[in-house]
Amino acid sequence: MVAAGETLHPLERALDWLADGVALIRAGGRVLYANDSFRAIARRSDGIALRQGTIQLVGVDARARLNAAIAAAFERGGGAPGMSAVTDFPVPRPDGAPPYLLSIRPLLQGKREAPGEPRAIVFVCDPLNHKAADIRTLREVFGLTEAEACLAQALQAGQQLADYARDHAVSLNTVYTHLRRIKEKACCNRMTELICKLNELHMPLRLT
């Protein structure tokens, strides 16, 4: 991993801006680089840790899936995009908090691979820190009113319509009216389509 004071590659500097954890894995399953968010998650040791240069997970099933995914990424990393290994799975926390979502993707290499090059990339999403797109962004991108943007943000965060109506002291009919207008402005017909579009808008960055 990058030592203190060592000059960072521009890509690594960019990864440090992400709120989600990111780690680059090289042959042998060792961590070549972990961004600031990943190291912060590992320091909490509440499901994910870094020990002796490797990623350690809580739970036998999670550990087995991590090892299998990394092995598959190394086997297929030099292949065609259609053969790439894609893995996503939850990592439980001992305290019962919402699990992390861990995603592993192979980094496709050419036939000539330099020693020490990363072979896979690991993403860790912490649902406790994953904030919805802010009201201003929603208004600017979709042309929503303040009320519509507030509802869109709540939907992205997983809140139910009835709960939103109760919390904001508005009628359920009003909420459905806002929802219909949001769908029209976002060019979506179904709720699942709308949520996907809202999630695509979201790219979490650290504030500091």
Side-chain angles (χ1 to χ4, degrees), residues 108-119:
L108 302 180
Q109 305 287 346
K111 292 183 178 180
R112 299 183 61 183
E113 180 182 320
E117 285 289 314
R119 297 287 300 276

Side-chain angles (χ1 to χ4, degrees), residues 145-152 155 160-185 191:
T145 66
E146 185 79 13
E148 292 164 356
C150 285
L151 176 58
L155 293 172
Q160 299 298 311
L161 295 178
D163 294 337
Y164 180 88
R166 183 190 64 247
D167 294 345
H168 289 77
V170 296
S171 71
L172 196 54
N173 285 338
T174 298
V175 172
Y176 277 118
T177 297
H178 291 328
L179 177 60
R180 185 181 70 252
R181 291 173 179 168
I182 292 170
K183 288 180 177 179
E184 291 173 353
K185 293 178 180 180
M191 178 70 81

Side-chain angles (χ1 to χ4, degrees), residues 8-24:
L8 294 178
H9 185 281
L11 172 61
E12 294 168 355
R13 291 186 182 277
L15 293 178
D16 274 338
W17 280 104
L18 295 178
D20 288 345
V22 181
L24 302 177

Side-chain angles (χ1 to χ4, degrees), residues 51-64:
R51 297 193 182 97
Q52 298 181 337
T54 61
I55 299 173
Q56 303 292 320
L57 304 182
V58 167
V60 175
D61 181 64
R63 289 195 295 270

Side-chain angles (χ1 to χ4, degrees), residues 85-154:
V86 174
T87 303
D88 304 282
F89 60 90
V91 178
R93 304 194 209 208
D95 62 1
Y100 293 104
L101 175 63
L102 191 143
S103 303
I104 302 173
R105 301 291 185 271
L107 296 174
L108 302 180
Q109 305 287 346
K111 292 183 178 180
R112 299 183 61 183
E113 180 182 320
E117 285 289 314
R119 297 287 300 276
I121 186 167
V122 177
F123 300 93
V124 177
C125 172
D126 183 355
L128 298 180
N129 294 333
H130 219 251
K131 298 179 180 178
D134 61 38
I135 298 297
R136 179 177 177 181
T137 300
L138 289 167
R139 295 191 65 179
E140 290 179 352
V141 172
F142 297 114
L144 305 180
T145 66
E146 185 79 13
E148 292 164 356
C150 285
L151 176 58
Q153 187 181 50

